[in-house]
Amino acid sequence: MPVQKQLIAIAATMAATISIVFSGGMALAANGQPSPWQLGFQQSATPVMDDVVWFHNFLLYIIAAVSAFVLVLLVIVIFRFNARANPIPSKTTHNTTIEVVWTVVPVMILAAIAVPSFRLLFLQQTIPPADITVKATGRQWYWNYGYPDSKFEYDSYMLQDKERKADQPRLLAVDNDLVVPVDKVVRVLVTADPIGVIHAFAVPSFGIKIDAVPGRLNETWFKATREGIYYGQCSELCGKDHAYMPIAVRVVSEGEFAAWLEQAKKKYARDDGARSVAAAAE
Ligand SMILES: [Cu+2]
C-alpha cells in the first residue's frame, strides 16, 4: 500500500517539522538576542516591552476570533446558499437588527483595541524623569554613544568573525557596548551624523525603535529590569553596511555601572565631542 506509506511519511515529516519549530520556539529563552527557530518576540526586558507583548497577544486572540467567525459564515454561504442547494433564491432584503449588530459590534471591537493601544502609545511617548541620559548617534556605519552628563563619548563597531569570542553572537556583538544600570530610567537621545544618512536605533527586548535623523534629536526611553546584554540593529536602510552596525546594550548593577563610568571617563576623556565637531566640519 504505497499510498498509505506515503501518507504516513508525510504525516511524520509534518509532525517532526512542527515539533522542531515549537521546541525551537520554546527555546527562545536566549536573553536579549534572537534564537534559531524562534517564534514570537524576543524575551521582554522592560515594562514597555511587557505591554507590547501583552497587546500583541491580545490582538492575536481578536483577529483569530474574527477570522474564524468570517470563515464559518463563508462556509455556511458556500454550502447552504449555493445555486444547487438553493434553486429558488430568496429575495430577502434589509434586516434592521442584523444591520445594527454588524455596525455596533465592529465599533466595540475597535474601541476595545483602541484603549490599550493608546495607553501603550502614551507609555512609550511620555518619557518619565530620567535617572541617566545617553546619546546614540548613527554614523556610516557604526554607532557612537555619548554620556552627556559625564561629558564623554565613544564609538561602537561590530566585531568581525576573527575578533569575536565563541559566546558572542555573529553580526550582533560589538567592541564597545552601550552600558546602563539596571532598574533605572534611561533616556536615549537619538540622532545621526549631521552630514550622514538616516539610521534607526532599535532594541527588540526593550520595545524601542526610533529614527536617527541628521540634524534632529529624537528621544525614547527604557527601564531594563534584568541584567544582561541586549542586542538590536540599525532599522532604517542606511547604506552598504546597514546590516553591520548592530547595537549592544549591557545592563549592569548600579555598583558595576558606577565603576564602569569612572574608568570610561578616563578612557574616553579625549572624545568629549571634539571628534563630532571635527567630523561635521570635514
Ligand atoms: Cu544605519
Side-chain angles (χ1 to χ4, degrees):
M1 292 159 211
V3 177
Q4 275 183 347
K5 272 187 187 165
Q6 269 181 347
L7 284 178
I8 290 170
I10 291 171
T13 315
M14 279 171 66
T17 312
I18 290 169
S19 68
I20 288 170
V21 168
F22 277 91
S23 61
M26 296 306 171
L28 91 170
N31 209 3
Q33 66 186 76
S35 55
W37 294 95
Q38 177 190 321
L39 284 181
F41 293 120
Q42 289 176 37
Q43 241 186 19
S44 163
T46 64
V48 167
M49 191 56 194
D50 290 343
D51 282 14
V52 171
V53 172
W54 179 88
F55 189 55
H56 168 83
N57 293 336
F58 173 67
L59 286 185
L60 205 58
Y61 285 120
I62 291 180
I63 59 171
V66 170
S67 306
F69 178 65
V70 172
L71 183 67
V72 168
L73 292 184
L74 272 176
V75 170
I76 291 174
V77 167
I78 289 167
F79 286 99
R80 242 187 102 184
F81 299 106
N82 65 42
R84 221 173 334 137
N86 204 41
I88 306 156
S90 149
K91 292 197 176 152
T92 311
T93 175
H94 291 296
N95 181 314
T96 311
T97 313
I98 201 152
E99 283 165 18
V100 170
V101 169
W102 78 37
T103 309
V104 171
V105 171
V107 167
M108 277 159 48
I109 294 174
L110 289 181
I113 292 174
V115 171
S117 167
F118 278 103
R119 204 193 298 136
L120 178 55
L121 214 52
F122 281 111
L123 179 66
Q124 290 174 320
Q125 300 289 318
T126 315
I127 296 173
D131 297 306
I132 167 175
T133 300
V134 297
K135 184 177 168 198
T137 308
R139 299 264 175 87
Q140 281 161 302
W141 283 269
Y142 58 95
W143 290 93
N144 172 279
Y145 297 126
Y147 291 72
D149 301 331
S150 305
K151 298 192 167 49
F152 69 83
E153 60 180 61
Y154 57 89
D155 295 334
S156 175
Y157 283 91
M158 186 188 80
L159 290 180
Q160 300 301 319
D161 282 343
K162 49 184 178 303
E163 304 165 313
R164 202 160 44 85
K165 289 190 210 102
D167 61 336
Q168 289 181 304
R170 183 169 173 271
L171 299 179
L172 290 176
V174 301
D175 55 356
N176 297 311
D177 306 324
L178 174 64
V179 182
V180 296
V182 71
D183 282 326
K184 296 279 179 203
V185 174
V186 180
R187 171 174 38 203
V188 193
L189 305 175
V190 181
T191 188
D193 198 329
I195 51 157
V197 295
I198 302 177
H199 305 269
F201 186 82
V203 183
S205 292
F206 295 171
I208 57 174
K209 175 181 279 180
I210 190 159
D211 272 358
V213 184
R216 237 190 109 111
L217 203 58
N218 283 341
E219 59 178 359
T220 184
W221 73 281
F222 65 85
K223 182 180 168 184
T225 50
R226 285 198 317 276
E227 293 178 29
I229 298 191
Y230 300 89
Y231 294 102
Q233 290 174 302
C234 175
S235 298
E236 176 67 62
L237 269 177
C238 60
K240 80 172 176 67
D241 285 344
H242 164 64
Y244 309 111
M245 50 181 296
I247 295 151
V249 185
R250 183 149 48 96
V251 179
V252 297
S253 69
E254 217 181 330
E256 275 177 85
F257 179 72
W260 176 84
L261 199 63
E262 277 318 303
Q263 64 92 24
K265 272 182 198 165
K266 290 184 199 109
K267 184 173 171 192
Y268 302 119
R270 265 189 267 158
D271 293 348
D272 59 351
R275 185 155 43 172
S276 319
V277 176
E282 267 169 26

